[in-house]
Amino acid sequence: MERTFLMVKPDGVQRNMIGEIVARFEKKGFHLVGAKLMQISPELAGEHYGEHKERPFFGELVDFITSGPVFAMVWEGENVISTARLMMGATNPKESAPGTIRGDFAVTVGKNIIHGSDSPESAVREIGLFFKEEELISYAKDSNNWVN
Ligand code: RTP
Ligand code: MG
């Protein structure tokens, strides 16, 4: 079963959106296997966003993602990586469709509420960066049988 790494960014935590975001993925039919509120260090931020190191916004991105607590999660389910990206909406909220998280709740690209892995390779890498194996819980839930 596929897994992805999702994270409510500091703006989402400050705006009391953890519950709203968790609820969307739960109701969709995905399965939560790990979650924690945490403060990202500058080192972890640099690794997580390593692909953007040369971009002009890198410094701002690291400052923002380390500016307050984030809510880190691992979700499991059929096609969860690409479906979660659809549910998040386009990176820039001025282009994200209504009905998506960014389309419904965000205005500007630097404060777009949620992160989600963009590929199977990113998902494995990011889950490994943020979670220890023992922090991820495999468990059965009867409701899963009504989804797949
Ligand atoms: P994320 O990694 O945070 O889930 O976002 P994403 O895949 O949709 O977008 P990505 O290209 O990976 O960019 C990472 C984050 O950098 C900020 N950004 N700022 N000022 C800008 O032009 C700009 N472009 C990107 C955004 O906050 C984006 O989420
Ligand atoms: Mg990205």
Side-chain angles (χ1 to χ4, degrees):
M1 191 57 88
E2 196 168 276
R3 286 181 173 181
T4 196
F5 174 69
L6 302 181
M7 174 169 73
V8 183
K9 295 182 180 182
D11 53 335
V13 173
Q14 291 296 325
R15 292 177 58 195
N16 307 311
M17 302 207 53
I18 295 172
E20 164 80 30
I21 289 170
V22 169
R24 287 188 177 215
F25 291 99
E26 273 190 319
K27 288 178 190 167
K28 174 71 173 171
F30 292 132
H31 184 65
L32 186 64
V33 296
K36 58 185 173 187
L37 188 71
M38 61 181 284
Q39 173 68 45
I40 299 186
S41 67
E43 294 72 29
L44 178 58
E47 272 199 75
H48 173 63
Y49 279 128
E51 64 174 318
H52 300 307
K53 249 188 187 104
E54 307 306 324
R55 309 281 282 277
F57 57 82
F58 181 73
E60 269 172 52
L61 185 56
V62 169
D63 286 349
F64 169 64
I65 209 71
T66 59
S67 65
V70 300
F71 192 66
M73 302 167 279
V74 177
W75 288 85
E76 190 174 86
E78 193 173 308
N79 299 315
V80 68
I81 299 170
S82 57
T83 304
R85 295 279 297 186
L86 281 176
M87 291 169 67
M88 288 160 52
T91 303
N92 192 329
K94 76 180 185 199
E95 283 146 19
S96 18
T100 66
I101 293 165
R102 289 163 169 170
D104 285 350
F105 304 119
V107 170
T108 189
V109 68
K111 294 194 177 84
N112 59 6
I113 299 192
I114 183 168
H115 164 81
S117 306
D118 61 10
S119 68
E121 297 72 34
S122 301
V124 168
R125 189 180 81 84
E126 292 169 1
I127 290 169
L129 269 180
F130 282 85
F131 285 90
K132 301 189 184 107
E133 193 56 51
E134 63 265 28
E135 292 177 312
L136 302 177
I137 315 293
S138 288
Y139 60 105
K141 211 160 52 181
D142 284 348
S143 60
N144 286 356
N145 300 328
W146 298 95
V147 173
N148 302 109

